[in-house]
């Protein structure tokens, strides 16, 4: 596995660092104070477009797939992780608010037809304005147990009719389209799952409500309902033939295998920010002479580096077309708990300063908890890995 970072990627990371100090962190602090997401018409998003952000990883139909190589390249999973860690270092909530196809992109990349990539990812190649995509699996009655989703999909001529409710979908109310997971028959469990692209103006797509959250307030996590939403057959991701032999569920899992290391590396970014802030606070308050404090700081740095290597390994496997389900789960099970330890250390050091609620470390402490929850909780990852270790089938 190649660990070196090529100069072009390093330049992009340095660009994020500059933007992070001047824009990302202040915006995150502002959203936290105001308790609401950064609005979609904020000039920051236009600025990001000019800086080359908000693009799809899909190279377009005329660009040949560059294939795999051993180092990070534009669009590779590893490059995405490097940039995501740096963004999250400055503010993970703002990082998720960035325009782009978001979590809706992996299912389109892995399962979508050329026509679907052209229609839904094409506008993100050189976006004319800040555009968002979204991904909605979770429902009020189905979180970890994705097999329990109840949003129904019924065939009607060449169209599909969707009915149900989704919750916590990132950037959903500002998105051009949402990848919505639904079931053709709830008794089939995961085999009944289908993924649809539901476009913004589809009649029946309504009731957008931005959820209240303890942290990560700069981006919206939104619930919405689908009432007799008529979706054209051409928006069933991958087409009907894709869903033979559990391919629908496998498609969802492939999406998560791509996004779990991403969520994990974002936790590493938050943890690194907490470590840096803890060092600053400890130095300013003469705490570094205490070997117990030094020991905890060192342990956090060491564990953050280990977590980062797990994420990179999962990304490297993905970039080489190899299965990474175990490594993706390992990264996701490990990084958020390390980041939580980092923010806990920080708030321990702050003492009563932390209790006032206006120190960055206190905000990071509130931000980090969700990293254990999203994209499969740490508990669920451990269950999956333990079953895999003793060669039990997936439950
Ligand atoms: C900030 C945030 C952003 C999100 N963004 C999105 C998004 O963009 N799109 C989307 O679709 N969803 C999103 N989600 C939803 C997220 O994926 C779910 O919250 C997650 O899957 C957990 O589901 P749940 O909250 O219903 O918890 P539950 O599944 O009810 O779990 C509750 C607790 O029980 C534990 N548990 C569950 N099953 C088992 C078991 N079998 N054995 C032992 N313990 C178990 C869990 O680990 C957890 O601790 C987001 C959530 C948050 C908090």
């Amino acid at each position: 596995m190649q660990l070196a970072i090529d100069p072009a990627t390093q330049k992009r990371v340095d660009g994020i660092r500059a933007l992070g100090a001047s824009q990302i962190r202040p915006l995150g602090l502002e959203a936290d104070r105001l308790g609401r997401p950064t609005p979609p018409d904020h000039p920051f998003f236009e600025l990001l477009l000019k800086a080359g952000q908000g693009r799809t990883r899909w190279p377009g139909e005329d660009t040949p797939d560059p294939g795999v190589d051993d180092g990070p390249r534009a669009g590779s999973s590893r490059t995405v992780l490097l940039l995501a860690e740096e963004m999250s270092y400055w503010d993970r909530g703002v990082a998720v608010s960035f325009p782009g196809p978001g979590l809706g992109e992996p299912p389109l990349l892995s399962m979508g037809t050329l026509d679907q990539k052209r229609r839904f990812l094409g506008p993100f190649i050189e976006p004319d304005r800040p555009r968002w995509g979204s991904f909605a699996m979770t429902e009020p009655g189905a979180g970890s147990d994705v097999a329990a989703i109840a949003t129904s999909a019924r065939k009607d001529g060449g169209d599909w009719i969707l009915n149900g409710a989704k919750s916590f979908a990132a950037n959903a109310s500002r998105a051009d389209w949402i990848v919505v997971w639904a079931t053709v028959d709830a008794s089939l469990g995961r085999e009944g799952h289908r993924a649809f692209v539901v476009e913004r103006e589809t009649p029946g797509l309504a009731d957008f409500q931005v959820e209240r959250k303890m942290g990560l307030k700069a981006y919206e996590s939104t619930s919405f309902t689908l009432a007799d939403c008529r979706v054209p057959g051409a928006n069933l991701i991958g087409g009907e033939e894709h869903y033979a032999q559990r391919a629908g569920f496998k498609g969802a899992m492939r999406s998560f295998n791509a996004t779990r290391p991403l969520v994990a590396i974002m936790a590493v970014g938050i943890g690194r920010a907490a470590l840096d802030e803890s060092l600053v606070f400890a130095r300013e308050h003469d705490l570094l002479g205490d070997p117990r404090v030094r020991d905890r700081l060192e342990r956090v740095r060491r564990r953050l580096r280990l977590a980062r290597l797990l994420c990179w390994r999962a990304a490297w496997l993905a970039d080489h077309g190899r299965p990474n389900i175990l490594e993706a789960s390992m990264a996701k099970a490990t990084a958020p708990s390390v980041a939580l330890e980092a923010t806990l250390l920080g708030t321990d050091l702050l003492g009563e300063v932390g209790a006032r609620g206006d120190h960055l470390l206190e905000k990071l402490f509130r931000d980090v908890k969700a990293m254990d929850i999203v994209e499969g909780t740490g508990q669920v990852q451990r269950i999956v890995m333990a079953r895999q270790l003793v060669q039990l089938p997936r439950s």
Side-chain angles (χ1 to χ4, degrees), residues 103 135-138 143-144 167-170 213 219 221 370 373-375 377 379-380 383:
L103 294 178
F135 176 95
M137 173 72 88
T138 305
S144 301
S167 50
F168 269 100
K213 289 185 294 200
Y219 81 99
S221 298
I373 300 172
V374 296
E375 303 297 307
T377 67
Q379 177 66 50
V380 168
I383 291 170

Side-chain angles (χ1 to χ4, degrees), residues 165-337:
K166 294 287 178 184
S167 50
F168 269 100
N171 299 318
S173 82
R174 63 189 67 187
D176 288 6
W177 45 257
I178 307 169
V179 172
V180 170
W181 286 86
T183 177
V184 289
D185 180 350
S187 71
L188 293 178
R190 293 156 175 173
E191 288 173 40
H193 287 188
R194 304 288 182 271
F196 298 90
V197 179
V198 180
E199 293 167 83
R200 183 84 189 93
E201 302 306 331
T202 309
L205 177 66
D207 298 331
F208 288 98
Q209 307 264 2
V210 176
E211 317 260 9
R212 289 186 61 204
K213 289 185 294 200
M214 66 189 277
L216 304 177
K217 297 187 186 181
Y219 81 99
E220 53 157 313
S221 298
T222 303
S223 62
F224 62 90
T225 57
L226 304 122
D228 288 330
C229 264
R230 182 173 287 276
V231 176
N235 288 21
L236 173 63
I237 301 184
E240 294 202 33
E241 56 283 5
H242 179 82
Y243 294 87
Q245 297 170 349
R246 297 187 76 222
F249 174 63
K250 285 182 188 155
M253 288 302 113
R254 264 203 304 279
S255 300
F256 289 136
N257 295 345
T259 52
R260 279 178 182 148
L262 183 62
V263 172
I265 203 79
M266 288 176 154
V268 171
I270 298 176
R272 189 159 60 84
L275 177 63
D276 283 358
E277 285 302 302
S278 300
L279 278 164
V280 168
F281 186 86
R283 187 164 286 119
E284 282 172 0
H285 293 81
D286 288 332
L287 301 175
L288 294 177
D290 186 331
R292 292 168 305 176
V293 171
R294 289 200 303 271
D295 181 60
R296 287 184 72 188
L297 288 164
E298 184 283 325
R299 180 186 143 96
V300 162
R301 181 181 67 171
R302 174 165 33 94
R303 297 188 73 224
L304 282 170
R305 287 193 183 183
L306 290 171
R308 182 187 290 121
L309 285 174
L310 279 175
C311 299
W312 285 6
R313 169 85 183 147
W316 184 86
L317 288 169
D319 283 344
H320 287 73
R322 298 207 207 153
N324 73 344
I325 184 164
L326 179 63
E327 289 74 10
S329 281
M330 275 187 183
K332 179 64 179 63
T334 305
S337 63

Side-chain angles (χ1 to χ4, degrees), residues 15-26 90:
I16 295 287
R17 187 165 300 146
L19 195 67
S22 64
Q23 304 270 342
I24 299 177
R25 182 153 298 160
W90 296 103

Side-chain angles (χ1 to χ4, degrees), residues 103-181:
L103 294 178
E105 183 176 61
L108 278 164
L109 286 178
S110 65
M111 304 192 291
T113 62
L114 178 61
D115 177 60
Q116 289 167 341
K117 288 176 185 160
R118 193 186 293 131
R119 284 168 61 213
F120 302 119
L121 296 179
F124 289 87
I125 294 177
E126 280 303 329
D128 51 341
R129 58 173 171 79
R131 292 174 179 269
W132 287 266
S134 182
F135 176 95
M137 173 72 88
T138 305
E139 299 182 358
S144 301
D145 184 10
V146 292
I149 59 168
T151 294
S152 65
R154 178 174 55 81
K155 195 98 196 274
D156 186 46
D159 299 336
W160 291 86
I161 310 293
L162 305 189
N163 280 287
K166 294 287 178 184
S167 50
F168 269 100
N171 299 318
S173 82
R174 63 189 67 187
D176 288 6
W177 45 257
I178 307 169
V179 172
V180 170
W181 286 86

Side-chain angles (χ1 to χ4, degrees), residues 11-16 18-20 22-24 43-55 83 87 98-99 125-127 130:
K11 200 170 158 206
R12 289 178 72 191
V13 173
D14 294 343
I16 295 287
L19 195 67
S22 64
Q23 304 270 342
I24 299 177
F44 173 65
F45 296 127
E46 288 286 353
L47 185 96
L48 286 178
L49 277 202
K50 291 199 183 94
Q53 299 289 333
R55 267 65 171 168
L83 299 174
M87 286 175 202
F98 273 34
I125 294 177
E126 280 303 329

